[in-house]
Amino acid sequence: MPSRRSIIMAAVAALVAIAIAIVLSFAIHWFPAQASTQAHNTDRLYHVLVIASIPIFVLVVTVVLFSVWHFRMKPGEELRDGPPIHGNTRLEVFWTAIPTVLLLSMVGYSFVVLHENEKKPAQEIQVEVTGQQFFWSYQYPSALTGGAPINSYQLYLPEGESVLFNVHSKDVVHAFWIPAFRIQEDAVPGITTHWRATPDRLGSYPVVCNLLCGLGHSLMRSTVHVVTPAQFRTWIASQQNASSSSAGAGASTGGTTG
Ligand SMILES: [Cu+2]
């Protein structure tokens, strides 16, 4: 049996490693800016899962390293066999029950966060998103503009309003991803997919295609501009004026993709 002293040393080393890893998990900025309410929920979930995983990882690695070091073969033991062990029911119940409880609680918390992120709010605006090789385009329907639908290559969204994206594809499978919102959804030809986000931070953030969709995949980027609700209505009005003054220009509003 290992001495009490070496077990205490291993336990202290494990506690130090756990503390360092937890501090690092907070000190390092893993993610881009949080620009939606969903981003806060997702990041909190990530941090909880990391903090739950660190002690388990350290425990397993400590036991492995300790066993390799302490039970290593010593000179003269080359031909000896280990002791015959035929199971330990109490230990097996223990190491089945604890991971079960841990996994169920993590799955439960993840479910709560996903449910919260996808919940339909009392009020929401809808934006049609279309992916094609190799750019994104957006349409603001009449229900939102109060007039003719607006087509744009730039995504403008009002801060604090829930947005339902109806995602389409004209050719192959793409994935509509806004890293600052933390959510993505596949754009699949022939069907419409959906996701929701409530932008809660003013600024401009990248929009990315996150599924390899052809030679121009890496160029399939655009920008989302989160603006105040007043600026958003002003932008909608300016787009309507632009499209009515340049009759027949159709989808030429909103500049080009970045
Ligand atoms: Cu794509």
Side-chain angles (χ1 to χ4, degrees):
M1 277 299 288
S3 71
R4 193 193 184 101
R5 191 169 161 239
S6 48
I7 291 179
I8 290 175
M9 273 172 56
V12 169
L15 287 175
V16 171
I18 289 170
I20 291 174
I22 288 180
V23 168
L24 279 180
S25 79
F26 277 102
I28 299 172
H29 276 274
W30 306 95
F31 299 126
Q34 297 173 319
S36 72
T37 53
Q38 286 78 2
H40 298 277
N41 296 340
T42 306
D43 289 4
R44 197 178 309 115
L45 170 66
Y46 180 85
H47 271 119
V48 168
L49 294 188
V50 165
I51 286 167
S53 307
I54 286 172
I56 298 166
F57 177 77
V58 171
L59 177 72
V60 170
V61 171
T62 305
V63 170
V64 168
L65 292 180
F66 184 82
S67 303
V68 167
W69 170 73
H70 194 271
F71 299 106
R72 70 192 183 282
M73 187 186 67
K74 294 168 186 89
E77 293 182 345
E78 287 84 352
L79 297 177
R80 286 175 55 186
D81 207 350
I85 295 171
H86 293 284
N88 182 328
T89 308
R90 193 189 293 171
L91 185 62
E92 284 163 19
V93 167
F94 189 69
W95 77 35
T96 307
I98 289 189
T100 304
V101 171
L102 277 170
L103 275 178
L104 284 179
S105 42
M106 291 190 211
V107 166
Y109 181 37
S110 306
F111 177 84
V112 168
V113 169
L114 283 180
H115 186 73
E116 173 76 20
N117 278 357
E118 294 175 352
K119 204 165 61 184
K120 184 174 167 39
Q123 270 198 329
E124 67 184 356
I125 61 173
Q126 297 199 19
V127 177
E128 307 297 319
V129 178
T130 302
Q132 65 193 96
Q133 291 168 321
F134 293 99
F135 58 90
W136 295 108
S137 56
Y138 311 100
Q139 186 178 69
Y140 296 80
S142 305
L144 175 60
T145 64
I150 291 172
N151 296 298
S152 171
Y153 294 119
Q154 296 280 309
L155 180 58
Y156 277 78
L157 298 176
E159 183 196 20
E161 292 185 27
S162 181
V163 186
L164 175 67
F165 297 101
N166 300 316
V167 184
H168 316 268
S169 170
K170 282 192 177 169
D171 37 42
V172 299
V173 180
H174 305 270
F176 178 56
W177 184 33
I178 301 178
F181 293 178
R182 302 291 186 275
I183 305 175
Q184 70 168 27
E185 183 63 83
D186 289 357
V188 184
I191 65 169
T192 302
T193 53
H194 311 272
W195 62 266
R196 287 196 168 83
T198 308
D200 66 352
R201 187 174 186 270
L202 297 176
S204 297
Y205 310 97
V207 178
V208 182
C209 175
N210 201 21
L211 268 181
L212 185 57
C213 58
L215 274 181
H217 166 69
S218 63
L219 305 173
M220 192 164 163
R221 288 173 163 260
S222 96
T223 307
V224 53
H225 305 276
V226 180
V227 296
T228 63
Q231 287 171 323
F232 179 70
R233 309 295 161 200
T234 310
W235 178 79
I236 292 280
S238 73
Q239 296 300 299
Q240 280 172 321
N241 292 338
S243 60
S244 59
S245 61
S246 60
S252 68
T253 51
T256 55
T257 49

Coordinates of all heavy atoms in Angstrom, one line a residue, residues 141-188:
P141 N -39.2 41.4 -44.5 CA -40.6 41.2 -45.1 C -41.5 42.5 -44.9 O -41.2 43.3 -44.0 CB -41.1 40.0 -44.4 CG -40.4 39.9 -43.1 CD -39.0 40.5 -43.4
S142 N -42.5 42.5 -45.6 CA -43.5 43.7 -45.5 C -44.0 43.9 -44.1 O -44.2 45.0 -43.7 CB -44.7 43.4 -46.4 OG -44.2 43.2 -47.7
A143 N -44.2 42.8 -43.4 CA -44.7 42.9 -42.0 C -43.8 43.7 -41.1 O -44.2 44.3 -40.2 CB -44.9 41.5 -41.4
L144 N -42.5 43.7 -41.5 CA -41.5 44.5 -40.7 C -41.4 45.9 -41.3 O -41.3 46.9 -40.5 CB -40.2 43.7 -40.7 CG -39.0 44.4 -40.1 CD1 -39.3 44.7 -38.6 CD2 -37.8 43.5 -40.2
T145 N -41.3 46.0 -42.6 CA -41.0 47.3 -43.2 C -42.3 48.2 -43.3 O -42.2 49.4 -43.4 CB -40.5 47.1 -44.7 OG1 -41.5 46.5 -45.5 CG2 -39.3 46.2 -44.7
G146 N -43.5 47.6 -43.3 CA -44.7 48.3 -43.5 C -44.9 48.8 -44.9 O -45.8 49.5 -45.2
G147 N -44.1 48.3 -45.8 CA -44.2 48.6 -47.2 C -43.7 47.4 -48.0 O -44.0 46.3 -47.7
A148 N -43.0 47.7 -49.1 CA -42.4 46.6 -49.9 C -41.3 45.9 -49.1 O -40.6 46.6 -48.3 CB -41.9 47.2 -51.2
P149 N -41.0 44.6 -49.4 CA -39.9 44.0 -48.7 C -38.6 44.7 -49.1 O -38.5 45.2 -50.2 CB -40.0 42.6 -49.2 CG -41.3 42.4 -49.8 CD -41.8 43.7 -50.3
I150 N -37.6 44.6 -48.2 CA -36.3 45.2 -48.5 C -35.3 44.1 -48.6 O -35.2 43.2 -47.8 CB -35.9 46.1 -47.3 CG1 -36.8 47.4 -47.3 CG2 -34.4 46.5 -47.5 CD1 -36.6 48.2 -46.1
N151 N -34.5 44.2 -49.7 CA -33.4 43.2 -49.8 C -32.1 43.9 -49.5 O -31.9 45.1 -49.9 CB -33.3 42.7 -51.3 CG -34.6 41.9 -51.6 OD1 -34.9 40.9 -51.0 ND2 -35.4 42.4 -52.5
S152 N -31.2 43.2 -48.8 CA -29.9 43.8 -48.4 C -28.8 42.8 -48.3 O -29.1 41.6 -48.1 CB -30.1 44.5 -47.1 OG -28.8 45.0 -46.6
Y153 N -27.6 43.2 -48.6 CA -26.4 42.3 -48.3 C -25.8 42.6 -46.9 O -24.9 41.9 -46.5 CB -25.3 42.6 -49.4 CG -25.8 42.1 -50.8 CD1 -25.9 43.0 -51.8 CD2 -26.2 40.8 -51.0 CE1 -26.3 42.6 -53.1 CE2 -26.6 40.4 -52.2 CZ -26.7 41.3 -53.3 OH -27.1 40.9 -54.5
Q154 N -26.3 43.6 -46.3 CA -25.9 43.9 -44.9 C -27.0 43.6 -43.9 O -28.2 43.8 -44.3 CB -25.5 45.4 -44.8 CG -24.4 45.8 -45.6 CD -23.0 45.5 -45.0 OE1 -22.8 45.8 -43.9 NE2 -22.2 44.8 -45.8
L155 N -26.7 43.0 -42.8 CA -27.7 42.6 -41.8 C -27.7 43.7 -40.7 O -26.8 43.9 -40.0 CB -27.3 41.2 -41.2 CG -28.3 40.7 -40.2 CD1 -29.7 40.5 -40.8 CD2 -27.8 39.3 -39.7
Y156 N -28.8 44.4 -40.7 CA -29.1 45.4 -39.6 C -30.1 44.8 -38.7 O -31.1 44.3 -39.1 CB -29.6 46.7 -40.2 CG -28.4 47.6 -40.7 CD1 -27.9 47.3 -42.0 CD2 -27.9 48.6 -40.0 CE1 -26.8 48.1 -42.4 CE2 -26.9 49.4 -40.5 CZ -26.3 49.2 -41.7 OH -25.3 49.9 -42.1
L157 N -29.8 44.9 -37.4 CA -30.8 44.4 -36.4 C -30.9 45.4 -35.2 O -29.9 46.1 -34.9 CB -30.3 43.1 -35.8 CG -30.1 41.9 -36.7 CD1 -29.5 40.7 -36.0 CD2 -31.4 41.5 -37.4
P158 N -32.1 45.6 -34.7 CA -32.3 46.5 -33.6 C -31.9 45.8 -32.3 O -32.2 44.6 -32.0 CB -33.8 46.7 -33.6 CG -34.4 45.5 -34.2 CD -33.4 44.9 -35.2
E159 N -31.2 46.6 -31.4 CA -30.8 46.1 -30.1 C -32.0 45.8 -29.3 O -33.0 46.6 -29.2 CB -29.9 47.1 -29.4 CG -29.4 46.7 -28.1 CD -28.9 47.9 -27.3 OE1 -29.2 49.0 -27.5 OE2 -28.1 47.6 -26.4
G160 N -32.0 44.7 -28.5 CA -33.1 44.4 -27.6 C -34.4 43.8 -28.1 O -35.3 43.5 -27.4
E161 N -34.4 43.5 -29.5 CA -35.6 42.9 -30.0 C -35.3 41.5 -30.5 O -34.2 41.3 -31.1 CB -36.1 43.7 -31.2 CG -36.7 45.1 -30.8 CD -37.3 45.9 -31.9 OE1 -37.8 45.3 -32.9 OE2 -37.3 47.1 -31.8
S162 N -36.1 40.6 -30.2 CA -35.9 39.2 -30.6 C -36.1 39.0 -32.1 O -37.0 39.6 -32.7 CB -36.8 38.3 -29.8 OG -36.6 36.9 -30.2
V163 N -35.2 38.3 -32.7 CA -35.2 38.2 -34.2 C -35.3 36.7 -34.5 O -34.6 35.9 -33.9 CB -33.9 38.7 -34.8 CG1 -34.0 38.6 -36.3 CG2 -33.6 40.1 -34.4
L164 N -36.3 36.4 -35.4 CA -36.4 35.0 -35.9 C -35.8 35.0 -37.3 O -36.3 35.7 -38.1 CB -37.8 34.5 -35.9 CG -38.0 33.1 -36.5 CD1 -37.4 32.0 -35.7 CD2 -39.5 32.8 -36.7
F165 N -34.7 34.2 -37.5 CA -34.1 34.1 -38.8 C -34.7 32.9 -39.5 O -34.7 31.8 -38.9 CB -32.6 33.9 -38.7 CG -31.9 35.0 -38.1 CD1 -31.5 35.0 -36.7 CD2 -31.6 36.2 -38.8 CE1 -30.8 36.0 -36.2 CE2 -30.9 37.2 -38.2 CZ -30.5 37.2 -36.9
N166 N -35.3 33.1 -40.7 CA -35.7 32.0 -41.5 C -34.7 31.8 -42.6 O -34.4 32.6 -43.4 CB -37.1 32.3 -42.2 CG -38.1 32.6 -41.1 OD1 -38.3 31.9 -40.2 ND2 -38.9 33.7 -41.3
V167 N -34.0 30.6 -42.5 CA -32.8 30.4 -43.3 C -33.0 29.6 -44.5 O -33.6 28.5 -44.3 CB -31.7 29.8 -42.3 CG1 -30.4 29.7 -43.1 CG2 -31.5 30.7 -41.1
H168 N -32.6 30.0 -45.6 CA -32.8 29.3 -46.9 C -31.4 29.1 -47.6 O -30.5 29.9 -47.3 CB -33.7 30.1 -47.9 CG -34.9 30.7 -47.2 ND1 -36.1 30.1 -47.1 CD2 -35.1 31.9 -46.5 CE1 -37.0 30.9 -46.5 NE2 -36.4 32.0 -46.1
S169 N -31.4 28.2 -48.6 CA -30.2 28.1 -49.4 C -30.7 27.9 -50.8 O -31.7 27.3 -51.1 CB -29.4 26.9 -49.0 OG -28.4 26.7 -50.0
K170 N -29.9 28.6 -51.8 CA -30.3 28.5 -53.2 C -29.5 27.3 -53.9 O -29.9 27.0 -55.0 CB -29.9 29.8 -53.9 CG -31.0 30.9 -53.6 CD -30.7 32.0 -54.6 CE -31.8 33.1 -54.4 NZ -31.5 34.3 -55.1
D171 N -28.5 26.8 -53.3 CA -27.7 25.8 -54.0 C -27.2 24.6 -53.1 O -27.8 23.6 -53.2 CB -26.5 26.5 -54.7 CG -25.8 27.6 -53.8 OD1 -25.7 27.3 -52.6 OD2 -25.5 28.6 -54.3
V172 N -26.2 24.8 -52.3 CA -25.7 23.7 -51.5 C -26.0 24.0 -50.0 O -26.5 25.0 -49.7 CB -24.2 23.5 -51.7 CG1 -24.0 23.2 -53.2 CG2 -23.4 24.7 -51.3
V173 N -25.5 23.1 -49.1 CA -25.7 23.4 -47.7 C -24.7 24.4 -47.2 O -23.5 24.2 -47.4 CB -25.6 22.0 -46.9 CG1 -25.8 22.3 -45.4 CG2 -26.6 21.0 -47.4
H174 N -25.2 25.4 -46.5 CA -24.3 26.4 -45.8 C -24.7 26.4 -44.4 O -25.6 25.7 -44.0 CB -24.5 27.8 -46.4 CG -24.4 27.9 -47.9 ND1 -23.2 28.2 -48.5 CD2 -25.3 27.8 -48.9 CE1 -23.3 28.3 -49.8 NE2 -24.6 28.0 -50.1
A175 N -24.0 27.1 -43.6 CA -24.4 27.3 -42.2 C -24.3 28.8 -41.8 O -23.2 29.4 -42.0 CB -23.5 26.5 -41.2
F176 N -25.4 29.3 -41.4 CA -25.5 30.7 -41.0 C -25.1 30.9 -39.6 O -25.8 30.4 -38.7 CB -27.0 31.2 -41.3 CG -27.2 32.6 -40.9 CD1 -26.5 33.6 -41.5 CD2 -28.2 33.0 -40.0 CE1 -26.7 35.0 -41.2 CE2 -28.4 34.3 -39.7 CZ -27.7 35.3 -40.3
W177 N -23.9 31.5 -39.4 CA -23.4 31.6 -38.1 C -22.9 33.0 -37.7 O -22.2 33.7 -38.5 CB -22.1 30.7 -38.0 CG -21.5 30.6 -36.6 CD1 -22.1 30.7 -35.4 CD2 -20.1 30.4 -36.3 NE1 -21.2 30.5 -34.4 CE2 -20.0 30.4 -34.9 CE3 -19.0 30.3 -37.1 CZ2 -18.7 30.2 -34.3 CZ3 -17.7 30.2 -36.5 CH2 -17.6 30.1 -35.1
I178 N -23.4 33.5 -36.6 CA -22.9 34.8 -36.0 C -22.2 34.4 -34.7 O -22.8 34.2 -33.7 CB -24.1 35.7 -35.8 CG1 -24.8 36.0 -37.1 CG2 -23.6 37.1 -35.2 CD1 -26.0 36.9 -37.0
P179 N -20.8 34.4 -34.7 CA -20.1 34.0 -33.5 C -20.5 34.8 -32.3 O -20.5 34.2 -31.2 CB -18.6 34.1 -33.9 CG -18.6 34.0 -35.4 CD -19.9 34.6 -35.9
A180 N -20.7 36.1 -32.5 CA -21.0 36.9 -31.3 C -22.3 36.6 -30.7 O -22.6 37.0 -29.6 CB -20.9 38.4 -31.7
F181 N -23.2 35.9 -31.5 CA -24.5 35.5 -30.9 C -24.4 34.0 -30.5 O -25.4 33.5 -29.9 CB -25.6 35.6 -32.0 CG -26.0 37.0 -32.4 CD1 -26.9 37.2 -33.4 CD2 -25.3 38.1 -31.9 CE1 -27.3 38.5 -33.8 CE2 -25.7 39.4 -32.3 CZ -26.6 39.6 -33.2
R182 N -23.3 33.3 -30.8 CA -23.0 32.0 -30.4 C -23.9 30.9 -31.1 O -23.8 29.7 -30.8 CB -23.2 31.8 -28.9 CG -22.4 32.6 -28.0 CD -20.9 32.3 -28.1 NE -20.1 33.1 -27.2 CZ -19.7 34.3 -27.4 NH1 -19.9 34.9 -28.6 NH2 -19.0 35.0 -26.5
I183 N -24.8 31.3 -32.0 CA -25.7 30.3 -32.6 C -25.4 30.2 -34.1 O -25.0 31.1 -34.7 CB -27.2 30.7 -32.3 CG1 -27.4 31.0 -30.8 CG2 -28.1 29.7 -32.8 CD1 -28.7 31.5 -30.5
Q184 N -25.7 29.0 -34.6 CA -25.6 28.8 -36.0 C -26.7 27.8 -36.4 O -27.2 27.0 -35.6 CB -24.3 28.3 -36.5 CG -24.0 26.8 -36.1 CD -22.8 26.3 -36.8 OE1 -21.9 27.0 -37.2 NE2 -22.8 25.0 -36.9
E185 N -27.1 27.9 -37.7 CA -28.1 26.9 -38.2 C -27.7 26.6 -39.7 O -27.3 27.5 -40.4 CB -29.5 27.5 -38.1 CG -30.6 26.6 -38.5 CD -30.7 25.3 -37.6 OE1 -31.3 25.4 -36.6 OE2 -30.2 24.3 -38.1
D186 N -27.9 25.4 -40.1 CA -27.6 25.0 -41.4 C -28.6 25.7 -42.4 O -29.8 25.8 -42.0 CB -27.7 23.5 -41.6 CG -26.5 22.8 -41.0 OD1 -25.7 23.5 -40.5 OD2 -26.5 21.5 -41.0
A187 N -28.2 26.1 -43.5 CA -29.0 26.6 -44.6 C -29.1 25.4 -45.6 O -28.1 25.1 -46.2 CB -28.5 27.8 -45.3
V188 N -30.3 24.8 -45.8 CA -30.4 23.6 -46.5 C -31.3 23.8 -47.7 O -32.4 24.3 -47.5 CB -31.0 22.4 -45.6 CG1 -31.0 21.1 -46.4 CG2 -30.2 22.3 -44.4

